[in-house]
């Protein structure tokens, strides 16, 4: 049975929510004072950070791994749905950043960016907070196997690179009195910022969509190899798996055993389950027993599956 880590996930999300609200406020204030479009875009990115934390708290509440009558396979896909929500927020942030930059280029509002050393030091503190949040969430997320924390860590890490880029642009703008064209650096930086935000969203989508569409979790050949090492197993076929290894996987197979009585067949299947649990735990395993005379050349369901060893 998968471990219920929702309490720890909730604690991490609450801590990061508080820090993200602080970061968002600082960026918005400094961005308004300096007139920096890239920094205001970065503040918008931080708005999605806070929204992600709230979304994560909601989905985490429903993401129990324990089965019930209505959800016999547990509720962990709510966690992946929350991660997809984060990807959606990142997509919205990307669009807003690009639209603001394009509007500034074609319909410039005459805003001149001015930045002081004090404001740059404040942004350096913000950068430190973001780095802490990203590594904190990623470390806990990997340890407990939480896709929502890992996805949010990727989002926050993109915020780190965005902030570094924005700070570089603001430093360049301090020389705009000598080279006025450097004022355009701020607008131009909005485009790579948007690309970084989009990349983060795409990675979150790629990490979680396979779980939601029940993509194969374990190569059937690996399951076949482990199963065939159990004494009394003649063959196995129609092997299927889904879920996330290390978090919870579901394994199904048809098993041909060298046994003519239920007790012996049951003992063999118990050993098969024990070995698979030892390798892929936590796992829920369903085995369909077939008589010694039954044969099947297919390990799994793909038409080009290699033939099983007889």
């Amino acid at each position: 049975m998968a471990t219920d880590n929702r309490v720890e996930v909730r604690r991490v999300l609450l801590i990061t929510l508080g820090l993200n609200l602080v970061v968002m406020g600082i960026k918005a204030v400094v961005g308004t004072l300096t007139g920096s479009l890239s920094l205001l875009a970065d503040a918008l990115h931080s708005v999605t950070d806070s929204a992600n934390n709230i979304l994560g708290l909601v989905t985490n509440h429903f993401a129990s791994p324990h089965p019930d009558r209505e959800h016999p396979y547990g509720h962990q896909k709510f966690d992946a749905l929350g991660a997809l929500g984060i990807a959606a927020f990142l997509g919205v942030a990307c669009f807003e950043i690009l639209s603001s930059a394009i509007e500034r280029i074609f319909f410039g509002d005459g805003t001149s960016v001015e930045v002081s050393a004090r404001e740059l030091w404040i942004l350096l503190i913000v950068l430190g907070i973001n780095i802490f949040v990203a590594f904190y969430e990623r470390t806990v997320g990997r340890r407990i196997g939480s896709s929502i924390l890992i996805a949010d860590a990727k989002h926050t890490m993109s915020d780190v690179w965005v902030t570094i880029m924005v700070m570089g642009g603001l430093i360049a703008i301090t020389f705009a009195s000598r080279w006025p064209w450097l004022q355009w650096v701020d607008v131009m930086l909005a485009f790579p910022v948007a690309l970084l935000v989009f990349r983060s969203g795409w990675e979150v989508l790629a990490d979680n969509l396979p779980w939601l569409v029940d993509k194969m979790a374990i190569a059937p050949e690996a399951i076949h190899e482990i199963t065939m090492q159990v004494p009394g197993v003649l063959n196995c076929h129609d092997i299927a798996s889904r879920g996330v290894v290390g978090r919870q996987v579901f394994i199904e197979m048809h098993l041909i055993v060298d046994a003519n009585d239920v007790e012996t067949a049951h003992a063999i299947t118990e050993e098969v389950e024990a070995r698979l649990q030892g390798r892929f735990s936590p796992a829920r395993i369903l085995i369909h027993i077939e008589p010694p005379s039954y044969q099947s050349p297919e390990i799994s369901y793909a038409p080009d599956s290699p033939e099983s060893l007889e």
Side-chain angles (χ1 to χ4, degrees), residues 66-309:
H66 304 305
D68 57 30
R69 179 180 176 85
E70 298 298 326
H71 301 86
Y73 295 99
H75 311 72
Q76 288 182 298
K77 284 188 177 181
F78 281 104
D79 201 14
L81 285 174
L84 293 187
I86 291 177
F89 276 122
L90 286 167
V92 171
C94 178
F95 174 79
E96 291 294 333
I97 293 170
L98 288 175
S99 61
S100 297
I102 292 172
E103 183 178 0
R104 178 74 68 87
I105 291 173
F106 290 101
F107 310 100
D109 54 10
T111 300
S112 177
V113 180
E114 298 179 0
V115 61
S116 66
R118 181 185 61 183
E119 289 157 345
L120 289 174
W121 277 108
I122 292 174
L123 290 180
L124 191 61
I125 295 173
V126 167
L127 180 63
I129 295 174
N130 278 336
I131 292 174
F132 167 77
V133 169
F135 279 90
Y136 177 48
E137 284 191 303
R138 186 174 67 179
T139 300
V140 178
R142 287 179 175 176
R143 177 169 57 81
I144 66 178
S146 171
S147 61
I148 192 74
L149 289 183
I150 294 173
D152 202 35
K154 286 184 176 180
H155 186 189
T156 306
M157 199 62 208
S158 72
D159 211 17
V160 169
W161 292 113
V162 168
T163 302
I164 291 173
M165 191 177 300
V166 169
M167 288 182 65
L170 292 177
I171 292 172
I173 288 171
T174 59
F175 297 95
S177 59
R178 183 178 303 177
W179 298 292
W181 60 268
L182 285 175
Q183 284 286 342
W184 285 100
V185 171
D186 179 63
V187 177
M188 293 299 101
L189 281 175
F191 291 94
V193 166
L195 290 177
L196 285 173
V197 173
F198 177 81
R199 178 184 176 184
S200 297
W202 179 259
E203 289 178 349
V204 171
L205 184 66
D207 287 343
N208 289 277
L209 193 58
W211 185 19
L212 289 173
V213 299
D214 290 334
K215 183 180 179 180
M216 176 187 68
I218 307 166
E221 292 78 12
I223 297 174
H224 180 271
E225 181 181 0
I226 293 172
T227 303
M228 292 301 296
Q229 294 173 1
V230 176
V233 172
L234 299 178
N235 203 351
C236 61
H237 59 98
D238 288 353
I239 300 171
S241 64
R242 60 186 178 89
V244 178
V245 176
R247 188 166 187 200
Q248 184 167 39
V249 291
F250 299 88
I251 301 173
E252 302 174 5
M253 72 173 72
H254 288 213
L255 190 67
I256 304 173
V257 297
D258 186 16
N260 294 314
D261 60 279
V262 174
E263 288 77 12
T264 303
H266 176 72
I268 295 172
T269 59
E270 288 284 301
E271 179 61 22
V272 170
E273 290 181 1
R275 296 195 184 192
L276 291 174
Q277 283 283 2
R279 178 71 178 275
F280 304 113
S281 178
R284 287 175 60 180
I285 304 165
L286 178 63
I287 298 177
H288 175 75
I289 296 294
E290 291 175 334
S293 59
Y294 189 90
Q295 294 185 4
S296 174
E298 301 295 332
I299 289 181
S300 189
Y301 294 98
D304 57 349
S305 296
E307 291 189 353
S308 298
L309 301 176

